[in-house]
């Protein structure tokens, strides 16, 4: 089973920030938190990852709770091209990767 | 840098036929895996490998075989195709050690398979 839980769907208005939550209460000390997104009819693509500290890149920011049992992917200004399914997973060394159903993000013009 | 390459991109099979989906990566990744994705659903792990000569089952392995004779290649074989195997198949690869870029996973573009 997936080690993370996410809301099934979320909506956002265009050009507004979006906060996508993820719970991972069973995370271990060496697990990395990864986010991927899947645009329609495409393969998943990497968005961001982190271990303990908050992370920023050109696509998004990742806020990790102090106890690491939850995290939030932040899209600073949602665009129509950000409409996708977003997956939060735990990446454990030397172990298989199970994806949950993810969060389907709709962006309203 | 080609990344993860899957072939074919589209395939139609008749029930009972066998075929192989090819997957190759040029990043020297130890970890490779196959997922299937049915319409409107998430990714389900079929088989995975942590290195050449090592494979293991995922969530939905029945009806599929894999082998890993080289680091670069991880083919997925459908033994006797069934309509229930109509799906999109994604190959993925990554490093195994967390110290190497956090094990970022790279996906292929997908193979659309229809079994009639």
């Amino acid at each position: 089973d997936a080690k993370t839980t996410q809301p099934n769907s979320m909506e956002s208005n265009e050009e507004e920030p979006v906060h996508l939550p993820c719970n991972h209460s069973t995370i271990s000390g060496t697990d990395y938190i990864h986010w991927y997104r899947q645009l329609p009819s495409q393969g998943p693509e990497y968005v961001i990852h982190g271990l303990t500290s908050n992370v920023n890149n050109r696509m998004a920011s990742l806020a990790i709770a102090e106890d690491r049992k939850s995290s939030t992917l932040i899209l600073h200004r949602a665009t129509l091209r950000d409409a996708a399914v977003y997956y939060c997973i735990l990446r454990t060394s030397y172990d298989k990767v199970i994806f949950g159903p993810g969060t389907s993000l709709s962006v309203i013009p | 840098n080609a990344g993860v390459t899957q072939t074919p991109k589209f395939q139609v099979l008749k029930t009972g036929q066998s075929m192989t989906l090819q997957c190759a990566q040029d990043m020297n990744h130890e970890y490779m895996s196959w997922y299937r994705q049915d319409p409107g659903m998430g990714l389900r792990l079929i088989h995975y490998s942590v290195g050449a000569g090592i494979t293991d089952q995922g969530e939905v392995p029945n009806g599929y075989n894999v082998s890993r004779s080289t680091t670069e290649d991880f083919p997925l074989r459908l033994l006797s195709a069934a309509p229930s195997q109509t799906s999109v198949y994604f190959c993925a690869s990554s490093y195994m050690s967390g110290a190497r870029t956090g094990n970022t996973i790279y996906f292929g573009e997908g193979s659309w398979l229809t079994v009639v």
Side-chain angles (χ1 to χ4, degrees), chain A residues 29 31 33 50-54 64-66 68:
Chain A
D31 288 344
I33 301 160
L51 184 60
T52 56
S53 303
N54 295 345
I64 301 173
E66 194 168 338
R68 301 211 321 130

Side-chain angles (χ1 to χ4, degrees), chain B residues 5 10 51 92 115:
Chain B
T5 303
F10 299 98
V115 183

Side-chain angles (χ1 to χ4, degrees), chain A:
Chain A
D1 290 343
K3 301 175 184 177
T4 63
T5 56
Q6 302 175 250
N8 288 335
S9 62
M10 292 184 65
E11 278 187 353
S12 174
N13 293 320
E14 194 175 11
E15 298 189 2
E16 289 187 356
V18 183
H19 291 234
L20 298 167
C22 180
N23 289 318
H24 28 79
S25 58
T26 62
I27 191 169
S28 70
T30 56
D31 288 344
Y32 282 81
I33 301 160
H34 281 227
W35 284 82
Y36 294 81
R37 73 177 186 180
Q38 186 174 22
L39 302 172
S41 299
Q42 294 188 23
E45 63 176 351
Y46 167 81
V47 176
I48 200 166
H49 78 275
L51 184 60
T52 56
S53 303
N54 295 345
V55 183
N56 300 298
N57 66 20
R58 63 176 180 82
M59 291 181 69
S61 296
L62 176 60
I64 301 173
E66 194 168 338
D67 63 4
R68 301 211 321 130
K69 293 186 176 181
S70 66
S71 61
T72 302
L73 179 71
I74 302 166
L75 307 179
H76 296 286
R77 288 185 65 200
T79 70
L80 297 179
R81 287 173 292 181
D82 291 323
V85 178
Y86 287 79
Y87 299 99
C88 167
I89 65 164
L90 299 183
R91 190 70 175 97
T92 301
S93 294
Y94 303 100
D95 197 5
K96 60 184 179 287
V97 179
I98 302 295
F99 281 76
T103 297
S104 179
L105 175 66
S106 301
V107 180
I108 303 167

Side-chain angles (χ1 to χ4, degrees), chain B residues 10-30:
Chain B
F10 299 98
Q11 182 72 50
V12 179
L13 282 179
K14 293 182 179 178
T15 297
Q17 285 186 319
S18 62
M19 78 157 298
T20 299
L21 298 177
Q22 302 290 344
C23 177
Q25 52 90 11
D26 60 359
M27 296 171 281
N28 203 32
H29 286 163
E30 304 97 336

